Amino acid sequence: MKKLLLFGLGGCALFTVGILIGHFAIQQRPKNLLFLNLRELTKVPHMATTKGDEETVQYVLKRWQDPTSGLDQAWREEYLVHLSFPDKNQKNSVKVGREKNYTSDQNDPEVVQPYAAYSPAGHAKGKLIYANQGKTSDYEHLNNTLNLTGTIAIVRYGGAGRGAKAINAAPFGVIGVLVYTDPGDINDGLMSDLNETYPHSWYLPPSGVERGSYNSQFGDLLTPYLAAKQDTYRIPKETITGLPPIPTQPIGFEDAFKLICDVKMDIYNKEELKNSSNVMGVIRGSVEPDRYVIYGNHRDSWVHGAIDPSSGTAVMLEITRVLGKMVKEGKWRPRRSIIFGSWGAEEFGLIGSAEYTEEYYTKLFERSVAYINVDISVFGNATLQASGSPSTQSVLFTASKQVKTPGHNSASVYDNWLQYFNRSSPTYGLIPNVGHLTGAGSDYAAFIHFLGITSMDISYTYDRSKTKARIYPAYHTAYDTFDYASKFIDPGFTSHQTVARTAGNVLLRLADSLLLPFNCSDYAESLEQYLQVALDNFQEELSKHGISMGELCQQQHITCVRLNTASLSGERSTVVNIRRINDQLMLLDRAFLDPMAFPDKYAYRHVIWASRSSGLATFPGLADAFEGAKNSGLKQDWSKAHKHLSIVAQAIAGAASTLEEVI
Amino acid sequence: MKKLLLFGLGGCALFTVGILIGHFAIQQRPKNLLFLNLRELTKVPHMATTKGDEETVQYVLKRWQDPTSGLDQAWREEYLVHLSFPDKNQKNSVKVGREKNYTSDQNDPEVVQPYAAYSPAGHAKGKLIYANQGKTSDYEHLNNTLNLTGTIAIVRYGGAGRGAKAINAAPFGVIGVLVYTDPGDINDGLMSDLNETYPHSWYLPPSGVERGSYNSQFGDLLTPYLAAKQDTYRIPKETITGLPPIPTQPIGFEDAFKLICDVKMDIYNKEELKNSSNVMGVIRGSVEPDRYVIYGNHRDSWVHGAIDPSSGTAVMLEITRVLGKMVKEGKWRPRRSIIFGSWGAEEFGLIGSAEYTEEYYTKLFERSVAYINVDISVFGNATLQASGSPSTQSVLFTASKQVKTPGHNSASVYDNWLQYFNRSSPTYGLIPNVGHLTGAGSDYAAFIHFLGITSMDISYTYDRSKTKARIYPAYHTAYDTFDYASKFIDPGFTSHQTVARTAGNVLLRLADSLLLPFNCSDYAESLEQYLQVALDNFQEELSKHGISMGELCQQQHITCVRLNTASLSGERSTVVNIRRINDQLMLLDRAFLDPMAFPDKYAYRHVIWASRSSGLATFPGLADAFEGAKNSGLKQDWSKAHKHLSIVAQAIAGAASTLEEVI
């Protein structure tokens, strides 16, 4: 079977609520193409701005510009950005070995040596101390009994952000940080490469090292809020914040366990301005070309990046192939425009997507219906996992009910998902759990946090009851190869297919439905949960400090009533009325933006989903400010909590007024 | 003749560019109503939040809520805001007299004594020094030859903002500031109340004192970026910036001239949290109710405020009467919604309008087509004057060509205007000069600067070749009364009528035209002028510091090409296409917003029209940063200039991408 993508027509029944899209199905031949895409994309290392990266730019661009592709337009966008590399001539050294070769991939001269991007160069020599995960509390704990001045800390991945491990250490006098991958966190304790680890299983070999960016904000560091063009003003390097202040280096557990008391670090990283490219492709909308559904993934890897990110790029190319073909054959054109983005330099801090949102801020703000991110498409082959703005829950469910899981059983992706991740909803009972996009783990960050565009992140993953691995074990190492992916992550690439079908189905529904398939009452449910957590944890203490949660409760009540009735309001008897309702739906997440809310958190503007330090799943500014005040007891910190209470009340009120009868 | 408002139907010919609105005409009977409105509104002093203010709230509300009014809805919006008042029991004193009574108006016990709102209370005694206009350069000049420590400065109005006169003084050791109205600036030198000044002419009597807010930002001072509701977080008073740090008091010229060497000031102002109200009225749009044309003016005065602001309120009530009647009679309903706003507490710093924009930010941002401000509607009866975003020039011209000037000659408002204020346009030749909205002189500020809504400010004014008066002489004094207005400003209220007709015509065109009557190429002309000034003044020097204007020139070129062709692009064959083009037009000014551009300028976000200190009519951030760098020579200041160059280039690029083919 060659042609399997079926759905209703784009320009169909104008006054109907939604349209039947049918299901997105890619089978035998597409499977081979997916396989071919991945093999092609992962032939060589393609770290951002390297020769290998340029080859992937050319590969994607050629595919999308090919006149038979069906895309209306494809081009590259280039930014001049501040990256950090090891020195090719002087190896960073902690007197450790290199990653062992198990396939020819690790032998490629373009494999970048393990390093902590944005760690300063420098030399450190000192006594080694073990500092758990490098959280501030970890260093404080040690500091009670030891003098940390002049020591080198060894910490394991997890618990705190990469850069934070060194930023937290420096105030205690620590002069260098080594970060290793603990076999307990990644390998379910297995440590031998004779039979337990890759190439015998998916587990990380003893010499494997997780690379990564140790930058704690996102976007190009020298051009905050400005697209990094040639002539753009760049801040002085010394004013960049959020980077490790002391030499930092990741190492494998083999080396970590060999280290003795005195350690010497020689780090030769250097920073460079480099041109990084996004590749963009467009299918023009037939009815509302000025409404965009954006689908994206990064293209750059640390080494070969078969899983991160090429599993996602392969899926994106498959989706563009199938949709492009339909356009080309004149069978279909979406109601709204679809923009595909293959982002550059994500690994250094979501740079390509962030620069894109800075450059096209106004246009994207005004016109974007949604952003779909599929970065690592397959972490494992057990189940779907998804995060998103709550209003996307229903379209994620609808799509996942229409796609079958791989293999012989006939369960839907939805039914399978429900087995692995679920929650009890006051409205629906037991349903799959859609996560919140509260961090900046991938390229959705600039879209949801900076622009307030309704976003989601979709992938397949492994069975967490069978492994405690914090992420697939070869993540960011030289073992994340086509060989690894095809043997241990997704043999037969059936989960890749499933993600392509599910994400493709979501994409089509967003691009084609007459009324946008966003469910406002699901947003209300999430807000109600947030409010309940806030009331349970903060109300009593706040009122002791004369701060009332009354305004927030009242606004929230109004907003939830409106969210629960929003999709029903207004006549739908005219094209203009449909557009009006869709505009209300499109702009709902925008209503929660406040550019003044988080002056210390770069580009975080979404008052509900911004990152938080607090473990409580509630309004992030309020939760963090409350905990700060509780710890310090200072009046000014209680004022900050009050301020965040007002900010969130106003944002929620703004959402309510967006949803009420338009005038 | 009773019914004189004539225009084409709202829902007419769908695919035509614009519609014939016809002309707005209000004659005999309306004239009487205007007169009645003004007399009613100015019976008693109605300073913000006083009993008199509440009476005007009730008056406007009653008019708009009356079932026969034709408005669909009217309500009040209340904010709890931080105001400053003199102490009723302890007169501020500089050993001066009070404003003399010429009519019973001045005798009203509710006449607020002259004071500088937001001046601190305090007592100062010292030698008097004359410091011209209280600019920094004025104090520097004196400081070269005198020790200013412990002195009291007397300065005249003009040249620097009210608050700035005291803020500039304090660093030199000055302990108090007196601000007087110079007869040379306001009275063409005339000073005698025996025959030269009011009640014999429009000139200010010797005892008249200009009150005013000495606050240098806008909106409620305790709730930056948050609507001032009951529970809202309020910053500590001591952290407010932009207020006079030393006691400050305005005085009349009679007293100024009597002052001797040693002066004692006793200031008893106090700050209070007060409820201030906006009154809102709505006519719902028939086709696009989710598109708003907002028309507003403040309602509060310093004393009776016949001219400021009641001349504008009278015009607004006349417009609502005429339009409401048409709606009521079923003859007409606008295509888009019209929102009328009667703002509170403008005199204290545009508070009512600013709080409104903070509370409804998202909704207004997404849906507002334009804001029309008519504050003082008649400064004098010689000519129209108007300021606005450049894209409003054409609709101002079209409207003013359709309205006749008062009196027996048959000249159009346009032809008359051309005689008084004109400029030579590269595109059109000699045309009336439409000013830029670069400051925060009235309630348009929050709309254009904070929200990026295309705005305009319209009034009638006096012949500047016949008087040098910096403003009408009774401004902010106890002489700004109905008597003064009807005798000296606009006998017969014909200019009030003319403003009602002109502003009403503009309003109807914005609310009814199928395609919004904004001319993008007029925006291009203004940007080109700005760029030329920047190139002439900055390019050579910037390039010496390695800063290229290339990117700006290139972006500007692209933008101007698009501005010049924008209104022609795209098919207009469907309702959705029309809406798409209108969205592009509506959001053009929004594209120039950057909330990070002016961290030191509260609520200024519009990169083109923000306030500037520089006298050069060009990009404000760049101009001020350039002058700063030129003066200091510091590398960091040149960096700031470079940063502002990038900010403006990116904003202009954003506008270009808003205007190009939508995808």
Side-chain angles (χ1 to χ4, degrees):
Chain A
M1 289 173 77
K2 193 170 170 188
K3 177 177 64 73
L4 282 151
L5 222 166
L6 307 163
F7 38 65
L9 297 175
C12 73
L14 208 57
F15 303 121
T16 316
V17 184
I19 55 173
L20 180 65
I21 293 173
H23 64 281
F24 188 100
I26 307 165
Q27 294 186 351
Q28 204 51 42
R29 184 164 140 63
K31 166 176 155 188
N32 296 341
L33 285 178
L34 251 166
F35 164 95
L36 291 171
N37 286 340
L38 192 64
R39 204 178 58 187
E40 204 56 42
L41 286 163
T42 58
K43 267 185 178 163
V44 294
H46 48 286
M47 187 165 59
T49 76
T50 61
K51 188 165 150 286
D53 185 27
E54 178 59 23
E55 284 167 22
T56 62
V57 167
Q58 293 302 337
Y59 181 74
V60 175
L61 204 51
K62 194 176 155 202
R63 285 280 297 274
W64 288 353
Q65 286 182 334
D66 186 322
T68 68
S69 79
L71 269 64
D72 296 300
Q73 232 186 319
W75 67 97
R76 73 193 287 161
E77 298 268 357
E78 208 164 64
Y79 301 101
L80 184 61
V81 301
H82 178 70
L83 304 182
S84 160
F85 298 96
D87 188 323
K88 285 204 172 169
N89 305 312
Q90 292 186 284
K91 287 240 179 254
N92 288 348
S93 116
V94 201
K95 291 199 207 133
V96 294
R98 53 164 293 164
E99 284 164 307
K100 265 194 211 164
N101 299 347
Y102 297 109
T103 67
S104 61
D105 291 317
Q106 289 89 45
N107 204 28
D108 191 312
E110 291 303 313
V111 172
V112 70
Q113 55 168 295
Y115 77 115
Y118 300 108
S119 157
H123 307 278
K125 189 165 181 307
K127 289 220 181 307
L128 194 68
I129 53 120
Y130 175 73
N132 193 27
Q133 296 182 313
K135 301 189 292 282
T136 293
S137 59
D138 292 327
Y139 295 111
E140 273 167 355
H141 184 71
L142 286 172
N143 196 47
N144 289 337
T145 52
L146 281 174
N147 179 3
L148 300 183
T149 307
T151 61
I152 292 179
I154 182 163
V155 301
R156 61 192 169 99
Y157 268 117
R162 294 189 189 102
K165 293 170 190 289
I167 292 168
N168 297 341
F172 293 91
V174 175
I175 57 169
V177 174
L178 299 176
V179 185
Y180 79 102
T181 304
D182 195 291
D185 295 328
I186 201 98
N187 274 5
D188 292 312
L190 302 181
M191 295 172 63
S192 158
D193 74 338
L194 292 178
N195 47 31
E196 295 175 336
T197 63
Y198 182 75
H200 306 287
S201 78
W202 82 326
Y203 290 121
L204 182 67
S207 63
V209 184
E210 179 181 325
R211 293 151 185 81
S213 173
Y214 280 60
N215 155 22
S216 33
Q217 66 183 47
F218 61 87
D220 177 47
L221 294 168
L222 292 181
T223 58
Y225 302 115
L226 294 168
K229 317 291 269 189
Q230 187 75 38
D231 287 347
T232 302
Y233 168 67
R234 290 172 163 79
I235 64 171
K237 277 186 210 173
E238 56 278 17
T239 62
I240 296 175
T241 55
L243 300 187
I246 50 180
T248 306
Q249 174 70 21
I251 61 174
F253 58 82
E254 178 176 65
D255 287 325
F257 294 167
K258 273 191 230 155
L259 287 171
I260 47 168
C261 183
D262 277 299
V263 175
K264 184 166 177 298
M265 297 171 69
D266 295 298
I267 306 299
Y268 298 97
N269 296 347
K270 52 189 181 171
E271 282 141 23
E272 288 179 68
L273 272 186
K274 303 279 270 179
N275 277 307
S276 171
S277 292
N278 297 331
V279 182
M280 310 301 302
V282 160
I283 299 177
R284 195 175 200 274
S286 57
V287 182
E288 297 184 89
D290 62 335
R291 288 295 175 260
Y292 309 154
V293 181
I294 308 173
Y295 179 109
N297 176 33
H298 69 102
R299 199 187 53 253
D300 66 304
S301 60
W302 281 115
V303 191
H304 296 80
I307 294 302
D308 182 7
S310 304
S311 65
T313 309
V315 163
M316 177 160 66
L317 288 174
E318 179 58 6
I319 291 175
T320 57
R321 184 191 69 80
V322 174
L323 299 187
K325 188 162 176 293
M326 306 253 304
V327 171
K328 189 71 195 167
E329 290 171 354
K331 291 181 181 153
W332 169 82
R333 181 170 282 285
R335 178 181 175 86
R336 304 182 181 87
S337 296
I338 300 176
I339 300 177
F340 294 97
S342 170
W343 315 119
E346 188 262 7
E347 293 295 3
F348 287 83
L350 323 181
I351 292 180
S353 57
E355 296 305 306
Y356 176 73
T357 58
E358 287 172 352
E359 181 164 12
Y360 297 103
Y361 186 86
T362 313
K363 185 156 86 169
L364 296 173
F365 185 96
E366 292 164 359
R367 301 179 189 160
S368 302
V369 161
Y371 175 69
I372 304 171
N373 195 63
V374 180
D375 179 345
I376 295 169
S377 67
V378 182
F379 290 83
N381 55 15
T383 174
L384 192 76
Q385 70 179 353
S387 299
S389 192
S391 52
T392 67
Q393 177 181 280
S394 60
V395 69
L396 287 164
F397 287 178
T398 312
S400 62
K401 282 174 182 167
Q402 289 193 325
V403 180
K404 299 275 183 243
T405 50
H408 295 298
N409 82 55
S410 61
S412 70
V413 167
Y414 177 93
D415 287 336
N416 184 63
W417 183 14
L418 189 64
Q419 307 303 312
Y420 288 91
F421 298 105
N422 55 53
R423 69 178 178 99
S424 182
S425 151
T427 318
Y428 306 103
L430 198 72
I431 52 172
N433 185 49
V434 175
H436 298 322
L437 292 175
T438 53
S442 185
D443 291 301
Y444 54 76
F447 291 92
I448 183 73
H449 298 307
F450 185 53
L451 275 163
I453 293 171
T454 301
S455 298
M456 63 221 90
D457 187 66
I458 300 171
S459 60
Y460 234 66
T461 193
Y462 45 87
D463 181 347
R464 281 166 206 275
S465 73
K466 297 201 175 136
T467 172
K468 293 182 300 159
R470 120 184 115 67
I471 192 163
Y472 71 97
Y475 174 70
H476 284 200
T477 72
Y479 305 108
D480 184 350
T481 58
F482 183 79
D483 178 72
Y484 180 86
S486 57
K487 284 188 182 139
F488 300 112
I489 298 289
D490 189 22
F493 297 97
T494 54
S495 296
H496 281 73
Q497 273 179 37
T498 307
V499 174
R501 289 174 191 163
T502 310
N505 191 306
V506 172
L507 173 61
L508 287 182
R509 290 178 175 279
L510 292 167
D512 260 354
S513 302
L514 185 64
L515 276 178
L516 288 173
F518 292 147
N519 189 329
C520 293
S521 62
D522 294 337
Y523 221 122
E525 188 176 297
S526 290
L527 289 178
E528 291 288 30
Q529 285 167 347
Y530 262 36
L531 180 62
Q532 199 52 54
V533 173
L535 288 170
D536 291 349
N537 290 277
F538 308 147
Q539 189 171 31
E540 194 181 329
E541 189 76 23
L542 284 175
S543 81
K544 283 185 203 159
H545 292 84
I547 304 169
S548 161
M549 292 185 74
E551 174 78 15
L552 175 61
C553 292
Q554 192 190 331
Q555 289 304 345
Q556 167 111 354
H557 178 72
I558 297 168
T559 306
C560 287
V561 167
R562 288 196 181 131
L563 282 163
N564 282 316
T565 55
S567 60
L568 304 171
S569 78
E571 288 176 39
R572 291 172 197 161
S573 52
T574 69
V575 175
V576 173
N577 278 353
I578 296 283
R579 173 90 169 197
R580 173 172 60 70
I581 294 170
N582 279 336
D583 279 358
Q584 288 179 289
L585 292 167
M586 170 174 83
L587 295 170
L588 175 58
D589 263 302
R590 245 62 114 239
F592 294 107
L593 290 189
D594 181 343
M596 316 310 281
F598 308 107
D600 301 330
K601 290 184 185 179
Y602 181 75
Y604 279 101
R605 298 179 171 190
H606 197 301
V607 165
I608 311 298
W609 309 122
S611 69
R612 57 180 148 74
S613 314
S614 164
L616 293 172
T618 185
F619 311 112
L622 177 61
D624 287 353
F626 181 90
E627 291 193 0
K630 192 90 172 106
N631 288 336
S632 78
L634 294 175
K635 186 164 178 293
Q636 72 212 50
D637 290 337
W638 286 111
S639 290
K640 200 172 169 187
H642 190 179
K643 180 180 168 187
H644 274 286
L645 191 65
S646 293
I647 286 171
V648 73
Q650 178 154 312
I652 287 175
S657 77
T658 295
L659 288 169
E660 72 186 331
E661 259 291 353
V662 290
I663 194 148
Chain B
M1 288 173 78
K2 194 170 168 188
K3 174 176 69 71
L4 283 150
L5 220 167
L6 307 163
F7 37 67
L9 296 175
C12 72
L14 207 57
F15 305 119
T16 316
V17 183
I19 54 171
L20 181 65
I21 294 172
H23 64 282
F24 188 100
I26 308 165
Q27 292 186 355
Q28 206 50 40
R29 184 164 141 63
K31 166 176 153 188
N32 297 342
L33 287 179
L34 250 166
F35 163 96
L36 291 171
N37 286 341
L38 192 64
R39 206 180 54 189
E40 205 54 45
L41 287 163
T42 59
K43 266 186 179 163
V44 295
H46 47 286
M47 186 163 61
T49 74
T50 62
K51 189 165 149 285
D53 185 27
E54 178 60 23
E55 285 167 21
T56 62
V57 168
Q58 295 301 337
Y59 182 73
V60 175
L61 204 52
K62 194 176 157 204
R63 284 283 296 275
W64 289 353
Q65 286 181 334
D66 188 322
T68 69
S69 77
L71 269 64
D72 295 301
Q73 233 186 317
W75 68 96
R76 73 192 287 161
E77 298 268 357
E78 209 164 62
Y79 301 102
L80 184 62
V81 301
H82 178 71
L83 304 183
S84 159
F85 297 96
D87 188 324
K88 284 202 173 170
N89 305 315
Q90 292 186 282
K91 286 241 182 252
N92 289 347
S93 116
V94 201
K95 292 197 206 132
V96 294
R98 53 165 293 165
E99 285 164 308
K100 267 195 211 162
N101 299 348
Y102 298 109
T103 68
S104 61
D105 291 317
Q106 289 87 48
N107 205 28
D108 191 311
E110 292 303 314
V111 172
V112 71
Q113 57 169 294
Y115 77 116
Y118 300 108
S119 158
H123 307 279
K125 189 166 181 303
K127 288 221 181 305
L128 194 69
I129 54 120
Y130 175 74
N132 192 30
Q133 296 181 312
K135 301 188 293 283
T136 293
S137 59
D138 292 328
Y139 295 111
E140 274 169 355
H141 183 71
L142 285 172
N143 196 48
N144 288 336
T145 51
L146 280 174
N147 180 2
L148 300 182
T149 307
T151 61
I152 291 178
I154 181 165
V155 301
R156 60 193 170 97
Y157 268 119
R162 293 189 190 102
K165 293 170 189 291
I167 292 167
N168 297 340
F172 293 92
V174 174
I175 57 170
V177 174
L178 299 175
V179 185
Y180 78 103
T181 304
D182 195 291
D185 295 328
I186 201 99
N187 273 5
D188 293 313
L190 301 181
M191 295 172 63
S192 159
D193 75 338
L194 293 178
N195 48 31
E196 294 174 337
T197 64
Y198 182 75
H200 307 288
S201 78
W202 83 326
Y203 290 121
L204 183 67
S207 64
V209 184
E210 179 182 325
R211 294 150 185 80
S213 173
Y214 280 61
N215 155 20
S216 32
Q217 68 185 43
F218 60 88
D220 176 48
L221 293 168
L222 292 181
T223 57
Y225 302 116
L226 294 168
K229 316 294 269 190
Q230 187 75 37
D231 287 347
T232 303
Y233 168 67
R234 288 173 164 80
I235 63 172
K237 277 187 209 173
E238 56 278 16
T239 62
I240 296 175
T241 55
L243 300 186
I246 50 181
T248 307
Q249 174 71 21
I251 60 174
F253 59 81
E254 178 176 65
D255 287 325
F257 295 167
K258 274 192 233 155
L259 288 171
I260 48 167
C261 183
D262 277 298
V263 175
K264 183 165 178 297
M265 295 172 70
D266 295 299
I267 305 300
Y268 299 97
N269 296 347
K270 53 187 181 174
E271 281 140 24
E272 288 180 66
L273 271 187
K274 302 279 270 181
N275 277 309
S276 171
S277 292
N278 296 332
V279 182
M280 309 303 301
V282 160
I283 298 177
R284 193 174 201 274
S286 56
V287 182
E288 298 183 88
D290 62 337
R291 288 295 175 263
Y292 308 153
V293 181
I294 308 172
Y295 180 109
N297 177 32
H298 68 102
R299 196 188 55 254
D300 66 305
S301 60
W302 282 114
V303 191
H304 296 79
I307 294 302
D308 182 7
S310 306
S311 64
T313 309
V315 163
M316 178 159 67
L317 288 173
E318 178 57 6
I319 290 176
T320 57
R321 185 192 66 82
V322 174
L323 299 187
K325 187 163 178 293
M326 305 253 304
V327 171
K328 190 72 196 166
E329 290 170 355
K331 291 181 181 155
W332 170 81
R333 182 171 281 284
R335 176 180 178 88
R336 305 182 179 87
S337 295
I338 299 177
I339 299 178
F340 294 97
S342 171
W343 316 120
E346 187 262 9
E347 294 295 4
F348 287 84
L350 322 181
I351 293 180
S353 56
E355 296 306 307
Y356 175 73
T357 59
E358 287 172 352
E359 181 164 13
Y360 298 104
Y361 187 88
T362 312
K363 185 156 84 168
L364 297 173
F365 184 95
E366 292 164 0
R367 301 178 189 160
S368 302
V369 162
Y371 175 68
I372 303 170
N373 194 64
V374 180
D375 179 345
I376 296 169
S377 67
V378 182
F379 291 83
N381 55 13
T383 174
L384 192 76
Q385 70 179 353
S387 299
S389 191
S391 51
T392 66
Q393 177 181 278
S394 61
V395 69
L396 288 164
F397 286 178
T398 312
S400 62
K401 282 174 182 170
Q402 289 192 327
V403 180
K404 300 275 183 239
T405 51
H408 296 298
N409 82 54
S410 61
S412 69
V413 167
Y414 178 93
D415 287 337
N416 183 64
W417 183 12
L418 188 64
Q419 307 302 311
Y420 288 92
F421 298 105
N422 55 54
R423 70 178 177 100
S424 182
S425 150
T427 318
Y428 307 103
L430 199 72
I431 52 173
N433 185 49
V434 174
H436 298 322
L437 292 176
T438 52
S442 185
D443 291 301
Y444 54 76
F447 292 92
I448 182 74
H449 298 307
F450 185 54
L451 275 162
I453 294 171
T454 302
S455 297
M456 64 222 91
D457 186 67
I458 301 171
S459 61
Y460 235 64
T461 193
Y462 46 87
D463 182 348
R464 280 164 206 276
S465 73
K466 295 199 175 137
T467 172
K468 291 182 299 159
R470 125 183 113 64
I471 193 163
Y472 71 98
Y475 173 72
H476 285 198
T477 73
Y479 306 109
D480 184 351
T481 58
F482 184 78
D483 179 72
Y484 180 86
S486 57
K487 284 188 184 143
F488 300 113
I489 296 289
D490 188 23
F493 296 97
T494 54
S495 295
H496 281 73
Q497 273 179 33
T498 307
V499 173
R501 289 173 191 165
T502 310
N505 190 306
V506 171
L507 174 61
L508 287 182
R509 289 177 176 280
L510 292 168
D512 260 354
S513 302
L514 185 64
L515 275 178
L516 288 173
F518 291 147
N519 189 329
C520 293
S521 62
D522 293 338
Y523 222 122
E525 188 177 297
S526 290
L527 289 178
E528 291 287 29
Q529 285 167 348
Y530 262 36
L531 180 62
Q532 198 54 53
V533 173
L535 288 171
D536 291 350
N537 289 276
F538 308 148
Q539 189 172 32
E540 194 181 328
E541 191 74 23
L542 285 175
S543 80
K544 282 185 203 159
H545 292 85
I547 304 167
S548 162
M549 293 185 72
E551 176 78 14
L552 175 60
C553 291
Q554 191 191 329
Q555 289 302 347
Q556 167 112 355
H557 177 71
I558 298 167
T559 306
C560 287
V561 167
R562 289 196 181 130
L563 282 163
N564 281 314
T565 55
S567 60
L568 303 170
S569 78
E571 287 176 40
R572 290 173 197 160
S573 51
T574 69
V575 176
V576 173
N577 279 352
I578 295 283
R579 172 91 168 196
R580 172 172 59 71
I581 294 169
N582 279 337
D583 278 358
Q584 288 180 288
L585 292 167
M586 171 175 83
L587 295 169
L588 174 58
D589 263 302
R590 247 55 118 241
F592 294 106
L593 290 188
D594 181 344
M596 316 310 281
F598 307 107
D600 302 329
K601 290 184 186 178
Y602 181 75
Y604 279 102
R605 297 180 171 190
H606 198 302
V607 166
I608 312 296
W609 308 121
S611 69
R612 58 180 148 73
S613 314
S614 163
L616 292 172
T618 186
F619 311 112
L622 177 61
D624 286 354
F626 181 91
E627 290 192 2
K630 192 88 172 113
N631 288 337
S632 77
L634 294 175
K635 188 165 177 293
Q636 73 212 51
D637 290 339
W638 285 110
S639 289
K640 199 171 170 191
H642 190 179
K643 180 180 168 186
H644 274 285
L645 191 64
S646 292
I647 286 170
V648 73
Q650 179 155 311
I652 287 176
S657 77
T658 296
L659 290 169
E660 72 186 335
E661 259 292 353
V662 290
I663 194 146

